Amino acid sequence: MLEIEGLRATVSDKEILKGITLTVKPGEIHAVMGPNGSGKSTLAQVLAGHPAYTVTGGTATYDGQDLLAMDAEVRAQAGVFLAFQYPVEIPGVSNAYFLRAAYNEIRKARGEEEIDPMSFADLMDEKMKLVEMDGAMLTRSVNTGFSGGEKKRNEILQMAVLEPRLAILDETDSGLDIDALRIVANGVNSLKRANNATIVVTHYQRLLNYIVPDYVHVLANGRIVRSGGKELALELEAKGYDWLLEPALA
Amino acid sequence: MIDSYLRGFETFSRNGAASAPQWARSLRLSGITRFEQLGFPDKRNEDWHFTSVAPLAEREFLPLTTGATRVTAAQLSPFTFGATDWHTLVFVNGRFDAELSSTASLPDGVEVMSLARAYDEMPVLLEQHVGRIASIDAHSFTALNTAFINDGAVVHVRQDVEVARPIHLLFVSDAGAVDGVIQPRNLIVLDRFAKATVIESYVTVALGASAYFTNTVTEATVAEGATLTHLKLQRESAQAYHVGTLDVRQARDSHLVSFSFATGAILSRTNTYTELRGEGCGATLNGLYLGDDEQTIDHQTRIEHVEPNCYSRELYKGILDGASHGVFNGKVYVHPEAQKTDGKQTNNTLLLSERAKIDTKPQLEIFADDVKCTHGATVGRLDETSLFYMKSRGINARTARELLTYAFAADVLETIELAEVREALEAATLRRYASV
């Protein structure tokens, strides 16, 4: 589904990703972990097409297509979804309007008909239960005045509505209390299908108690320094990142 | 080019002035005298530093003499918000039109009528307020308006009366206004604990590319505990010139909620002034200006905090495209006595093109030592992070830009409490910027 080969990227001429190689197959959950500044959020943003980053080397192939050549909206229409670490507030655009616009764009890209507001309301009712969100959130402006937890739940709601094939969760657990974390994780788990895949970017092992990964990768200084199964996350929790950083620097 | 106005005044004082009471005639005389002394302001005048009125001053606009109208109710329907039960006064080319107006259902304690009728029915009230609020000393456009006081609207709401339905003063210009100057003079008087919403609309129908000049002055006095909501909607034709002043005096515990929406005219200036002359007052001055092509849209606000324990809130936003030029000059004066003043003033402008520009000058002058006042201005383009966020959800770049542009304006439009106006302006703004 996704093959990343030697991916390098810079922001403001500073190299952040220094050759990332990673393969994600349908049905898999990959956790990308690492200390602050390791480049894990950059990886997530580069895959989603954030314009602030410049790809300077390597490739990323998604479903046989050159992902890096696609505009951000084309990636989304092709099924790539990024749950933002810091969801953006858009005062003046209601959550419902935003979601329906996104949903319809993605349907159009798939050659499907646009959904009417009534059917969309039914769809929303169903999806909102998944993240235990109140209907009032739909009439509010996108993320505006939302608490940290509400913003993250709103990200997962968008994910539930848009049904991506490749979901990238960028530190979705940061700033969440345990209840919100559980709600978010339940949402992600219930969206799991045999033909979609998830990349979970996180600093803490805690989230992985709820979203159990098939693979864990440790990112340090722009490179993957260790890959393993879910037990690697537990090892990181017990030992921290330092024991992996030393050889990486050497 | 003030000669045409001086000549016009001579004709006017021979013909139209006769029916007015003596105080009005002497007021006019002081107006023309002051206008002759001041002339049109130039850029040396601090209040006009960013806006050149030369294009207006160099043209010859004549006072309109005919009252003939071809405007129909159907032509007005785009500007009446679908409301059939509002109290509406219609003025065509500056003249009151009784047939197009509807004030039949006014509740007791509310008087809404043309200035000409008010001379007879409310002579004391008029003499007490007209020309006593809007100063002509330093304002040449107010002086010019005062010289030609002849028609306009008078609104009087008596003590404890709350007017449930909006009062709409609709000033419409048509082909009859070509090369003319229209100078409405309005007065709004709210007695103690009264409450009313007054809308002033300035619109154009079936004019084509011809020019005319609207120079309007509204004086308002809001007595103790009263609340005035004032919406000014300037949607004149693209060739029109517009100068409008709202000048308000607030007594203790009174509230003013003002909104200025400006999209029309090649050159427009909107002044919104209020003096908070008692304790416990509140003033909210919001506005939205949408400019394009070669338009100049200038707003000047002045809030005078004279007494302690008052608040003022000000949010003006603008979207400028083409080679349009926006000006925001907001002044908040806090007098020495006005302790515990709570003031906040914000001006945000979104520039959609390289050629559009904004001059913004939020000013605070504070002479009291125990106050909480902030002000700020931002000028920017669409936020790249927000654009990326929308695109990352599959929304194409063009739609994302359109939605964000609309959204920029939407939050200040949301402050309009009157649903019919809010929704109409939201829809118009959405249509203007979004093809969805």
Side-chain angles (χ1 to χ4, degrees), chain B residues 104-404:
Chain B
S105 57
L106 280 172
D108 288 347
V110 185
E111 288 140 305
V112 177
M113 64 186 72
S114 71
L115 185 65
R117 200 177 125 199
Y119 280 146
D120 293 334
E121 297 195 14
M122 302 189 261
V124 177
L125 190 86
L126 260 57
E127 189 173 358
Q128 207 179 348
H129 297 294
V130 175
R132 304 292 177 92
I133 299 170
S135 165
I136 62 172
D137 292 346
H139 296 276
S140 68
F141 287 101
T142 299
L144 179 61
N145 174 286
T146 301
F148 290 90
I149 287 181
N150 190 37
D151 214 338
V154 178
V155 175
H156 180 210
V157 184
R158 291 183 188 275
Q159 184 172 336
D160 297 321
V161 176
E162 296 188 13
V163 193
R165 285 176 258 157
I167 297 161
H168 192 188
L169 313 178
L170 178 52
F171 296 88
V172 56
S173 297
D174 75 350
V178 172
D179 295 329
V181 54
I182 292 158
Q183 307 209 61
R185 181 68 170 231
N186 306 309
L187 174 67
I188 301 167
V189 177
L190 301 195
D191 291 348
R192 294 171 73 230
F193 304 104
K195 192 174 177 189
T197 296
V198 178
I199 305 159
E200 278 181 47
S201 286
Y202 295 87
V203 302
T204 312
V205 296
L207 183 78
S210 306
Y212 65 94
F213 170 31
T214 300
N215 179 33
T216 176
V217 173
T218 299
E219 295 174 285
T221 170
V222 187
E224 181 181 353
T227 300
L228 172 64
T229 299
H230 184 274
L231 306 173
K232 186 189 168 200
L233 314 175
Q234 189 273 101
R235 298 183 284 178
E236 308 233 42
S237 78
Q239 300 306 318
Y241 294 83
H242 180 103
V243 177
T245 295
L246 169 68
D247 206 337
V248 186
R249 294 293 175 275
Q250 295 183 239
R252 73 173 293 152
D253 298 317
S254 69
H255 287 83
L256 168 69
V257 180
S258 146
F259 196 98
S260 168
F261 180 77
T263 58
I266 184 71
L267 170 64
S268 75
R269 165 68 169 258
T270 300
N271 300 317
T272 306
Y273 304 146
T274 188
E275 285 185 22
L276 285 60
R277 291 186 163 185
E279 288 199 46
C281 291
T284 303
L285 273 55
N286 292 343
L288 176 66
Y289 44 96
L290 309 174
D292 201 353
D293 301 323
E294 305 286 327
Q295 282 183 295
T296 292
I297 306 182
D298 182 343
H299 277 91
Q300 186 177 74
T301 66
R302 191 186 66 218
I303 301 170
E304 300 255 6
H305 283 272
V306 183
E307 296 287 333
N309 297 307
C310 295
Y311 73 85
S312 60
R313 290 287 177 274
E314 194 167 2
L315 174 62
Y316 269 79
K317 298 188 92 168
I319 302 176
L320 301 174
D321 205 346
S324 62
H325 175 207
V327 178
F328 174 79
N329 188 346
K331 299 178 182 180
V332 178
Y333 292 96
V334 181
H335 291 236
E337 300 297 313
Q339 301 294 359
K340 305 285 182 191
T341 291
D342 174 0
K344 186 172 186 212
Q345 184 189 49
T346 309
N347 173 229
N348 305 126
T349 304
L350 175 63
L351 300 178
L352 294 181
S353 92
E354 295 292 331
R355 293 179 302 148
K357 70 167 187 168
I358 174 81
D359 289 298
T360 177
K361 193 176 176 190
Q363 289 172 273
L364 276 175
E365 288 193 33
I366 302 173
F367 300 99
D369 53 19
D370 183 14
V371 302
K372 188 173 78 184
C373 288
T374 62
H375 66 152
T378 66
V379 179
R381 302 185 187 279
L382 289 174
D383 177 41
E384 287 296 329
T385 309
S386 302
L387 281 173
F388 172 59
Y389 188 66
M390 298 184 93
K391 289 197 275 186
S392 79
R393 299 302 180 248
I395 296 174
N396 70 53
R398 183 176 153 199
T399 306
R401 288 188 169 277
E402 290 174 349
L403 270 179
L404 284 178

